[in-house]
Amino acid sequence: MMTNKDIIYEAMRQSAVDLGANIEDFTKDENVIVKSVNNKNARAYLTLPFDIDLVTYGNNVVASVSDECYDIAKEYVEKYMLSDIFSTPKINVLNEKLSPLDLEVCFMAEYFLPDMRALEKKETKYELRLMEKGEFDEFYNDIDTWSNAIINGKRDVLLLGAYDKGKPIGLAGASQDGDNMWQIGIDVLPDYRRQGVASSLTSNLAVAILERNKVPFYCCAWSNIRSFRNAISSGFRLAWSEMTIKSKEFTAKMK
């Protein structure tokens, strides 16, 4: 089984691929700016190259940027403290600088990795069923109910279901977003929430992923307290934060 050192190394390795950086860039004392480039080994859902993507593992900020945005990103990460770069009102300043380029801050997310000192299979009174790819196609017929657990038919590789008398009441899915990084998504029906179902599904699926020598990771928006609490309860700990700039046209479609 992997150690915490193995897990954080693999996460930084994937971030380095995504950003066009080096693994050691994330542990430097000073902020680092690199040019964003296409990479077929980047996380599958990323659109590269970035205009600006900012990542911190807690020590500094690594900024992956386009040539057009280089000066804006450089001024921003050099002017403000780490604690300010990912918070308002400084983000408003960045948006003002980006506006003439028809760009703005779009995604802000926190990413969690399992802490091997805390991760364990949490029990539930409900039956759990682990399904391999090709064994859970029926759930794509109800994608609205399970939109977090099953994301993409090509990338979904594992599904863990919780069942009450044969009825699926919660699903946790693993999406192969990188060669060695599998993202966990979770859905629990409203009537079955606050019973520990989510943490049981998440922790058990995380162990199943690790048993396959892959690294599970978990993502949520900064304001999603329920999801944040589930990550902690399931044995995950905050590993990195990421902020991505997109075109105004792109963000408008999400409003």
Side-chain angles (χ1 to χ4, degrees):
M1 192 72 76
M2 292 185 183
T3 66
N4 282 346
K5 184 178 180 180
D6 296 329
I7 289 169
I8 193 67
Y9 177 87
E10 184 57 39
M12 287 184 176
R13 187 204 65 79
Q14 184 63 59
S15 290
V17 170
D18 298 340
L19 272 64
N22 297 310
I23 295 175
E24 55 268 23
D25 288 338
F26 300 102
T27 58
K28 292 181 178 179
D29 292 329
E30 69 276 4
N31 295 331
V32 176
I33 304 175
V34 297
K35 181 178 179 180
S36 181
V37 295
N38 286 312
N39 193 318
K40 65 179 182 179
N41 295 318
R43 278 176 286 162
Y45 54 84
L46 297 179
T47 302
L48 297 178
F50 293 117
D51 291 300
I52 300 177
D53 192 71
L54 305 176
V55 171
T56 179
Y57 277 83
N59 207 55
N60 69 340
V61 172
V62 177
S64 183
V65 306
S66 66
D67 289 338
E68 186 178 34
C69 295
Y70 180 88
D71 290 340
I72 294 175
K74 184 175 187 295
E75 178 185 11
Y76 186 68
V77 300
E78 289 182 351
K79 183 175 182 179
Y80 298 116
M81 297 173 57
L82 174 58
S83 58
D84 290 331
I85 288 175
F86 289 83
S87 63
T88 54
K90 303 303 185 294
I91 290 175
N92 294 335
V93 174
L94 179 58
N95 274 333
E96 289 174 2
K97 296 284 187 179
L98 292 169
S99 185
L101 300 177
D102 288 325
L103 300 171
E104 60 188 0
V105 175
C106 182
F107 298 120
M108 295 179 64
E110 295 185 315
Y111 291 83
F112 300 78
L113 294 171
D115 183 343
M116 299 305 290
R117 298 164 297 185
L119 179 67
E120 60 180 7
K121 293 181 178 181
K122 301 195 72 172
E123 295 183 356
T124 177
K125 64 181 180 181
Y126 300 106
E127 176 193 1
L128 297 182
R129 301 178 191 172
L130 183 64
M131 293 163 274
E132 303 280 351
K133 191 175 184 67
E135 298 177 341
F136 48 83
D137 292 347
E138 63 185 281
F139 293 105
Y140 290 108
N141 296 324
D142 194 8
I143 192 70
D144 290 338
T145 300
W146 312 112
S147 60
N148 292 307
I150 49 176
I151 301 172
N152 183 292
K154 294 182 179 179
R155 301 204 309 268
D156 295 332
V157 287
L158 276 181
L159 192 70
L160 182 64
Y163 289 79
D164 183 11
K165 299 177 182 178
K167 169 190 173 183
I169 53 93
L171 297 178
S175 173
Q176 187 175 5
D177 292 342
D179 288 341
N180 296 314
M181 298 283 290
W182 292 9
Q183 183 170 191
I184 292 178
I186 180 79
D187 291 295
V188 177
L189 298 183
D191 290 345
Y192 292 87
R193 292 172 184 167
R194 299 187 178 181
Q195 298 182 38
V197 176
S199 59
S200 178
L201 286 169
T202 304
S203 61
N204 277 272
L205 183 59
V207 171
I209 294 170
L210 285 163
E211 288 174 345
R212 287 158 173 78
N213 204 34
K214 304 298 182 181
V215 174
F217 72 103
Y218 185 105
C219 174
C220 73
W222 295 43
S223 58
N224 193 340
I225 302 302
R226 185 171 63 189
S227 186
F228 188 103
R229 287 175 174 169
N230 178 55
I232 300 302
S233 178
S234 302
F236 283 68
R237 299 295 181 262
L238 180 61
W240 81 94
S241 297
E242 190 160 356
M243 182 167 72
T244 307
I245 279 69
K246 304 287 283 186
S247 69
K248 290 183 178 180
E249 179 182 8
F250 180 93
T251 56
K253 293 177 181 178
M254 303 186 66
K255 294 177 181 178

